[in-house]
Amino acid sequence: MHCLVRQTQRLSWWLPAAQIHTTAVQRTFWEREKKSGYKTKLAEPSKKQLIIDGLRDLKEEIKLWRQEVKEKLESDPILVFRPGETDIVFDFKAPDVLDKWTVTTDADHGEGKSSATLELSASGAGLFHGEVNSQHTKDGIIKRTGYANIRTKRVRKSFKRESTYDWTQYNMLVMKVRGDGRSYLINLHTEGYFDLMWNDIYHYVLYTRGGPHWQIAKIPFSKFFLSSKGRVQDRQNAIHLDCVTHFGFSVAAKKGMDGPFGLEIDYVGLEYDPSHQEEFAYEMYKTPKYIVAT
């Protein structure tokens, strides 16, 4: 509910700003569906299979609902604020952890020749590796390509209810990683209710050193900046940490950086640092309301 209210407030700056015909607004902002045309056609299962899958899922959903009730009863807000301690959000210790992540490349949509996979490394961490290739399909439409991406699946509650992560008690993102010297993009998705906000992502760069040693990256949430469909937005705001829907990493073949890549992830965690008082790192300018764009 809090996310929906904030999204409505964000929309309100342009809704009354200009008298524009409804069809013009739809052509400018309206989206048919969340994938923007990038859909994979799957064979529809039989009715018998749907019933079997439904009964199997029912057991898992009831188990998940019991876990939710247990966590609700046992939660203690006094134990939340522990300065200096890192609470692990994502790691690769569970046997089914890889099923909670999705890997995509430009080749999945017939736009390029990059490849990537996510698997467990010899040290028990998650290894995101592959090869990025900037050679794109010669169809007269695609201009640039060469990327690979991983992200978590949509967080949800029991009985298929979509939810969001609530990280409002923290102000730092902490990661233990081992890279290859490349720069990776950290992605915090805040997928909104309205179509204008389906592609809202907050980014920050993860610089890796390369070599055999692990590094601890500690990044304030105040440093993350907003983009939509790959474009950094003029109208910026601090990330709402109770509206995060997905977490992920991206790598691209920019400036001739084609070739293999590898990022090993031990864990991703959160921390509350009382010495960090910054709310938002970027200076903002007031946009006239008659400009109906970002």
Side-chain angles (χ1 to χ4, degrees):
M1 179 61 69
H2 294 292
C3 292
L4 183 57
V5 170
R6 285 168 177 165
Q7 292 156 18
T8 306
Q9 291 172 345
R10 181 181 162 192
L11 281 172
S12 63
W13 74 270
W14 63 266
L15 281 175
Q19 299 296 325
I20 302 175
H21 194 268
T22 304
T23 56
V25 174
Q26 289 180 341
R27 283 198 301 269
T28 305
F29 297 107
W30 180 69
E31 292 277 359
R32 184 183 299 274
E33 38 82 20
K34 292 186 178 181
K35 292 295 183 180
S36 300
Y38 289 91
K39 276 191 172 182
T40 303
K41 293 183 178 180
L42 301 175
E44 294 186 2
S46 63
K47 292 184 178 180
K48 179 181 178 181
Q49 188 62 40
L50 286 173
I51 295 173
I52 294 174
D53 292 343
L55 293 175
R56 183 176 61 249
D57 290 345
L58 181 61
K59 295 180 181 178
E60 295 297 324
E61 298 303 323
I62 292 175
K63 186 187 299 183
L64 186 58
W65 175 77
R66 288 177 177 172
Q67 184 66 24
E68 288 176 15
V69 175
K70 182 179 179 182
E71 290 178 355
K72 184 70 174 178
L73 295 175
E74 293 180 351
S75 63
D76 187 350
I78 297 178
L79 301 177
V80 171
F81 295 99
R82 302 184 304 276
E85 291 189 18
T86 301
D87 293 330
I88 306 300
V89 181
F90 307 110
D91 60 20
F92 294 86
K93 309 304 180 187
D96 61 341
V97 66
L98 295 180
D99 297 333
K100 299 178 180 179
W101 293 77
T102 302
V103 183
T104 55
T105 66
D106 49 27
D108 295 333
H109 308 298
E111 297 177 345
K113 299 181 179 180
S114 300
S115 61
T117 186
L118 178 64
E119 59 187 9
L120 294 179
S121 67
S123 61
L127 178 60
F128 173 43
H129 68 104
E131 184 173 347
V132 285
N133 191 328
S134 59
Q135 184 177 356
H136 59 78
T137 306
K138 308 296 183 181
D139 59 358
I141 300 175
I142 305 300
K143 296 181 180 179
R144 292 181 297 274
T145 187
Y147 67 87
N149 174 73
I150 58 170
R151 78 170 190 175
T152 58
K153 294 181 179 179
R154 176 66 188 261
V155 57
R156 65 177 184 85
K157 298 179 181 179
S158 57
F159 301 104
K160 309 297 183 182
R161 294 174 296 160
E162 290 187 343
S163 182
T164 59
Y165 295 106
D166 188 355
W167 297 345
T168 52
Q169 296 144 351
Y170 306 93
N171 58 7
M172 292 283 176
L173 182 69
V174 183
M175 295 169 290
K176 183 179 180 182
V177 297
R178 181 161 55 184
D180 52 1
R182 283 181 178 266
S183 298
Y184 294 81
L185 204 60
I186 306 169
N187 306 317
L188 297 179
H189 298 251
T190 57
E191 183 180 299
Y193 177 81
F194 301 100
D195 58 352
L196 186 66
M197 301 164 191
W198 284 346
N199 299 285
D200 284 3
I201 307 177
Y202 286 82
H203 302 287
Y204 197 72
V205 182
L206 171 65
Y207 299 98
T208 62
R209 292 195 294 261
H213 301 293
W214 290 94
Q215 67 181 88
I216 304 294
K218 185 176 178 181
I219 303 171
F221 285 119
S222 61
K223 302 293 185 184
F224 283 78
F225 56 90
L226 174 64
S227 77
S228 181
K229 293 187 177 181
R231 297 179 181 272
V232 178
Q233 300 297 287
D234 291 333
R235 193 179 180 89
Q236 291 285 329
N237 60 272
I239 183 173
H240 299 299
L241 293 173
D242 57 345
C243 299
V244 178
T245 57
H246 307 81
F247 173 86
F249 296 95
S250 296
V251 60
K254 282 191 173 183
K255 298 180 180 178
M257 292 294 291
D258 293 44
F261 68 89
L263 178 66
E264 198 170 355
I265 309 159
D266 186 40
Y267 67 77
V268 177
L270 305 169
E271 181 181 320
Y272 172 66
D273 184 355
S275 65
H276 183 77
Q277 301 295 324
E278 184 181 59
E279 295 184 2
F280 193 51
Y282 309 105
E283 184 176 1
M284 289 304 303
Y285 300 94
K286 192 171 183 179
T287 307
K289 286 191 175 183
Y290 64 83
I291 301 178
V292 191
T294 56

